[in-house]
Amino acid sequence: MAVVPTLLVLDADPLPRLGRLTGRVRVLHADGTTLAARLPEADALLVWDAASDAVRAAWPGEGPRPGWVHTASAGAERVLCPELAASDTVVTTARGLFEEPVAEYVAALVLAMAKDLPGTWEAQRRGEWRPRETPRVAGGRAVVVGSGPVGRAVARSLKALGLTTALVGRVARTGIHGPDDLDRLLARADWVIAAAPLTERTAGMFDVRRFGVMQPSARFVNVGRGGLVVEDALVRAVRSRWIAGAAVDVAATEPLPPDSPLWRVPGLLVSPHMGGTAVGRHDELGAQFVDLFERWAAGRPLKNVVDKALGYVPGR
Amino acid sequence: MAVVPTLLVLDADPLPRLGRLTGRVRVLHADGTTLAARLPEADALLVWDAASDAVRAAWPGEGPRPGWVHTASAGAERVLCPELAASDTVVTTARGLFEEPVAEYVAALVLAMAKDLPGTWEAQRRGEWRPRETPRVAGGRAVVVGSGPVGRAVARSLKALGLTTALVGRVARTGIHGPDDLDRLLARADWVIAAAPLTERTAGMFDVRRFGVMQPSARFVNVGRGGLVVEDALVRAVRSRWIAGAAVDVAATEPLPPDSPLWRVPGLLVSPHMGGTAVGRHDELGAQFVDLFERWAAGRPLKNVVDKALGYVPGR
């Protein structure tokens, strides 16, 4: 590493505030088209445009590669191509900044669906006063798939609403169910929340069979990654009333294409991957990166390091 | 009172299930037009149609009056005419059945407004993927006006969401602010929740001046009674962006008339007085009345007795 390290930033608006790193680092900027050419110059890569797939495309190839890649995202699936996974490069994520906002967002979606707020606002548009009886949320059963920090924050938030909540993770451990329990839990759940990382194991796990196992009164929420869900199966499950409704904040392709059938299924709510966002978020992401950069530049161990075999940051 | 007491029911659909009272009571039915004629025959009156003003209209007049009036509502304001207030007749309410559903409903409205779910579903209608940063709910400040069971349940629910919550009641006491603190609290609140009973003191308390005191970022929720609010002032406050938004689940006139301006203010959400409803509600209201009836028939003290000078059930 050079005396003044070179930081390559895959840009997005607004740009990161590098604060106290200013002057202590040589900053190069890249977009999707220039990333491959600039990678060999970089000691570190900040994937500020966390919605971009440019790293997966640019990483394979000739020349030196940065020793550290940080993605300003909760998940590493967009940067982790096989060549990066097999390399010595350390990958870190923005873990820690998304958990609580996502948990609030799930609470918002669950309550809004339970109280049929979409139906109420649709009625308001027509000037129609039409009271209905709606189910209580408290006393219901939720299954949260994904036992990482996001899943656990979601479970805490749902417990605070009075729901009985079961967490399902990759392996069973104290307080967390393993995959073998999943179908049995799904069959009894009022609410199914997908909050897992996207990995080879989890891709497409919510398929026709799994939606078929759920109760007709169940509702499904995806705040993990779009790829967890076979989207055609979800469309069919909601249209056919296999389940009572769904809300997806993530999609396999984002932005969701205008011709996606997800947009137009009654009872299926689409939101634009904003569960983890919050006012001030960009400043928090920037400050988190600056802290990590100082550790890295000082040769101290990084935090939020991805286990590249698992595909996410393991541990508590 | 006759050996078999006569119970007069002001009807609404579905009719109350009187369960174990069947055969032990003579039941008369009335609607708004027949109530006045049948009142003199009644030992007790069940105001099952809690949205009706028929009691206020029918009570004044000649002849005997029932010794007990029960309204299947959290509030007594629709039955308490001056003549009933001045009489020896005991008035009871359905207190105890509305608190938790209303608290969930307020949580639903607060989270939906914070996360701009109405804006998201509006965008979905247009097939538009438009992420925004939204404020966190946790860490904000809420003021709940009304320190009865509904207000206290709402405050508990908002605290569980991480809000700092102040309760304002008719008189200051431990943990509850008095009216003198209200304006100071309103000026700092992110969320103002109206959950007070409608009485002479509270009628019209949310007026132009009070909306003017609130922050431009504040949002207002009314789950109390429509009459707490000067509706023209609320319309003006939201239209003029004195406050950031509002949700009203109650209106001065219900159903809200088609020509009410409340229906059509951007940022003002109208729902049809369903915060206290829940699946199974009618059975719960019927069972609660049956329990009270057995106390009354046995000459034991009633519960949920309205202080007719205050206008609501006082105390814890």
Side-chain angles (χ1 to χ4, degrees), chain A residues 248-269:
Chain A
V248 295
D249 188 47
V250 287
T253 306
E254 295 180 4
L256 187 65
D259 62 350
S260 168
L262 287 175
W263 287 117
R264 279 169 293 271
V265 181
L268 200 165
L269 307 168

Side-chain angles (χ1 to χ4, degrees), chain B residues 56 71 73-81 91-93 225 306 311-312:
Chain B
R56 293 181 70 92
T71 175
S73 166
E77 79 283 354
R78 288 193 185 278
V79 301
L80 272 188
C81 58
V91 178
T92 57
T93 71
R225 287 293 182 259
V306 172
Y312 54 87

Side-chain angles (χ1 to χ4, degrees), chain B residues 269-283:
Chain B
L269 307 169
V270 173
S271 59
H273 202 146
M274 55 191 279
T277 67
V279 172
R281 167 48 39 87
H282 287 93
D283 288 342

Side-chain angles (χ1 to χ4, degrees), chain B residues 162-192:
Chain B
L163 287 157
T164 303
T165 304
L167 267 169
V168 181
R170 191 178 58 89
V171 287
R173 52 200 195 277
T174 309
I176 296 177
H177 295 268
D180 290 351
D181 291 343
L182 180 58
D183 286 354
R184 183 178 58 79
L185 291 166
L186 291 181
R188 295 157 36 111
D190 301 299
W191 302 95
V192 177

Side-chain angles (χ1 to χ4, degrees), chain B residues 70-71 73-76 91-95 288 292 303-306 313:
Chain B
H70 176 78
T71 175
S73 166
V91 178
T92 57
T93 71
R95 169 165 159 150
Q288 182 188 49
L292 287 172
K303 292 179 168 178
N304 293 0
V305 175
V306 172
V313 182

